[in-house]
Amino acid sequence: MAQTLLMPKATAVWLVDNTALSFDQIAQFCKLHPLEVKAIADGEAAQGIKGLDPIATGQLSRDEIVKAEKDPNHKLKLSEPKVRVPDSKRRGPRYTPVSKRQDRPNAILWLVRNHPELKDAQISRLVGTTKSTIEQIRERTHWNSTNLAPMDPVTLGLCSQIDLDLEVEKASKGRPLPTAAELGATLQSTLETENLPFGYGREEEKEKEIDANAVFAKLQSLKSDRRNDDEDDQY
């Protein structure tokens, strides 16, 4: 693991104030530009930054500073760390608590059904499972397939909604756009879905008109009958 200097500007401030090193030597050690080191010395940069002693942090020895002060061409070197920090291992599947591991197959089934665009590696990151388990659930060869029920992994607490949305967004970027046939397949008229003839609606309107005329005619006949009865009563 490559060594890196902690807080380079704060270290540069300390070296400018406490040593006779050249600007080039401090710039090379702190990975800064010589003009930036000169600005620190003139008080034009790094104002308010407290100097960090690299000797106290174990990143530079006093002998190395003395040697560099005597030889302007000498380049400062970081001291070997006293404690070795192991390299970070490759991130594996998400850890799942023992109490929730029985819910993982249900969550995988939900993801496979509702988000078929997700890859096996993405599902593995979300719920902390293996590719072989995902394949078994996809192919219905899992030992408990008959008892599985799709359940949202967010509701089960196996992953967060933000993580799920991010994985879905990543998977959707590579998906092809839907074709015109696929878009049109969901926009069918009621006549097509009910298998009714084209003029079905018009025939209904005609029937309504006929029925209305018959009703008005019947009302008029009733009025005329009532008038005749009134005239007979007068005589």
Side-chain angles (χ1 to χ4, degrees):
M1 183 176 178
Q3 294 178 250
T4 56
L5 180 66
L6 298 175
M7 302 177 66
K9 280 194 176 182
T11 302
V13 170
W14 189 91
L15 292 173
V16 168
D17 294 338
N18 297 277
T19 66
L21 297 172
S22 65
F23 294 156
D24 291 334
Q25 287 175 311
I26 297 174
Q28 176 270 327
F29 181 70
C30 298
K31 300 296 187 293
L32 300 174
H33 195 278
L35 294 178
E36 189 174 0
V37 177
K38 184 177 182 302
I40 292 174
D42 295 338
E44 299 175 357
Q47 295 178 357
I49 296 179
K50 185 179 180 180
L52 178 66
D53 186 356
I55 300 175
T57 58
Q59 297 193 102
L60 193 62
S61 64
R62 174 64 66 181
D63 295 338
E64 185 71 11
I65 294 176
V66 173
K67 185 177 180 180
E69 287 175 336
K70 294 179 180 180
D71 183 7
N73 295 322
H74 179 73
K75 294 182 179 180
L76 293 169
K77 297 179 181 179
L78 282 170
S79 300
E80 289 293 329
K82 296 179 180 179
V83 178
R84 288 286 181 181
V85 179
D87 296 340
S88 58
K89 295 182 180 180
R90 181 175 172 269
R91 186 179 178 183
R94 180 189 296 271
Y95 173 76
T96 305
V98 178
S99 59
K100 296 181 180 180
R101 290 180 184 177
Q102 60 183 0
D103 296 328
R104 280 190 300 192
N106 295 328
I108 297 171
L109 181 61
W110 188 92
L111 291 171
V112 168
R113 288 188 179 180
N114 293 276
H115 295 288
E117 70 275 11
L118 290 176
K119 298 179 180 178
D120 292 351
Q122 293 178 300
I123 297 176
S124 178
R125 285 197 298 268
L126 287 172
V127 298
T129 185
T130 60
K131 290 186 177 182
S132 60
T133 304
I134 299 172
E135 291 177 358
Q136 291 174 4
I137 294 176
R138 284 185 191 274
E139 300 171 0
R140 306 293 295 178
T141 58
H142 191 267
W143 66 271
N144 198 27
S145 294
T146 55
N147 298 322
L148 294 182
M151 298 181 70
D152 189 349
V154 177
T155 305
L156 294 173
L158 295 175
C159 67
S160 66
Q161 187 65 50
I162 295 176
D163 293 337
L164 177 59
D165 293 342
L166 287 175
E167 295 295 347
V168 172
E169 184 180 355
K170 289 179 183 178
S172 300
K173 288 181 180 178
R175 295 185 65 189
L177 295 174
T179 61
E182 292 175 349
L183 291 174
T186 59
L187 300 175
Q188 294 182 353
S189 64
T190 55
L191 295 178
E192 292 178 355
T193 56
E194 295 178 4
N195 295 324
L196 298 176
F198 179 74
Y200 177 79
R202 296 181 179 178
E203 292 179 358
E204 280 190 342
E205 292 178 359
K206 289 181 180 180
E207 290 180 359
K208 290 180 180 179
E209 291 179 358
I210 294 172
D211 293 339
N213 294 332
V215 170
F216 283 120
K218 188 172 183 180
L219 289 174
Q220 290 178 357
S221 63
L222 291 174
K223 288 181 180 180
S224 60
D225 293 341
R226 185 173 297 176
R227 289 177 183 175
N228 294 333
D229 293 339
D230 292 342
E231 291 176 356
D232 293 339
D233 293 340
Q234 289 178 359
Y235 292 107

